[in-house]
Amino acid sequence: MSEQSTPRGALTVRVIAMPADTNANGDIFGGWVMSRMDQAGGIAGVERARGRVVTVSVDAMTFLKPMRVGDVLEVFTDVESVGRTSMKIHIESWAMRFRTHHRDKVTDATFTFVAIDDDGKPRPIPKD
Ligand SMILES: CC(C)(COP(=O)(O)OP(=O)(O)OC[C@H]1O[C@@H](n2cnc3c(N)ncnc32)[C@H](O)[C@@H]1OP(=O)(O)O)[C@@H](O)C(=O)NCCC(=O)NCCS
């Protein structure tokens, strides 16, 4: 499969990777990237569901390229499908490199979010 050259979805989160986010090798923690993806999905999910949502599952993730200190993490979201109370959101993370501004895809995943009411119970997602 050829390498994807442009991101899919809407730019939802943009944040710089700092030294505090590194592991012992000096690279950025995978968990830091995953956390930003969860936040971006939450933003897209709240917008689509017009209210609170929670993450219920994440499909498999493969890290294709490392993130390094000074790179800008850009997270893109695309609501793939909407069920009764849940929705699947395709989320991609890209690294915009510090000096070159070249973009590399770091990882992607499909997150499932569920719309919830004030009691934390699933609630129907409004039709568009
Ligand atoms: C998400 C939660 C509200 C769902 O409650 P529930 O009683 O299991 O709800 P239901 O069985 O009615 O399922 C609700 C929807 O979620 C979907 N769903 C439930 N478990 C799922 C899973 N593991 N993967 C994908 N979708 C799932 C169902 O298919 C259903 O979708 P639909 O209405 O579009 O058909 C509940 O499991 C919960 O609060 N989990 C914790 C969420 C959380 O705190 N996340 C952050 C962790 S730090």
Side-chain angles (χ1 to χ4, degrees):
M1 204 173 79
S2 64
E3 206 169 290
Q4 184 183 346
S5 58
T6 52
R8 165 182 159 193
L11 178 59
T12 310
V13 162
R14 205 161 183 259
V15 60
I16 190 162
M18 298 293 280
D21 307 317
T22 55
N23 60 26
N25 300 324
D27 287 327
I28 299 300
F29 280 114
W32 181 82
V33 174
M34 292 163 73
S35 167
R36 269 68 209 167
M37 292 172 77
D38 197 23
Q39 287 174 346
I43 291 171
V46 163
E47 283 176 1
R48 177 59 188 86
R50 296 191 210 109
R52 290 174 64 188
V53 298
V54 282
T55 314
V56 69
S57 73
V58 185
D59 73 357
M61 284 177 79
T62 301
F63 287 93
L64 307 168
K65 296 273 169 63
M67 271 297 287
R68 299 193 188 88
V69 170
D71 292 345
V72 173
L73 179 74
E74 296 184 325
V75 187
F76 296 81
T77 60
D78 184 21
V79 178
E80 210 163 56
S81 62
V82 178
R84 197 181 81 81
T85 67
S86 71
M87 67 198 125
K88 290 192 185 305
I89 304 185
H90 175 81
I91 305 179
E92 296 188 352
S93 275
W94 289 69
M96 195 182 78
R97 301 302 182 190
F98 180 39
R99 291 181 198 287
T100 62
H101 289 191
H102 176 81
R103 278 197 182 89
D104 284 322
K105 184 170 172 180
V106 174
T107 190
D108 64 13
T110 302
F111 284 58
T112 303
F113 290 86
V114 176
I116 51 165
D117 62 20
D118 289 344
D119 299 320
K121 302 283 181 233
R123 70 176 165 87
I125 296 174
K127 308 278 174 218
D128 258 334

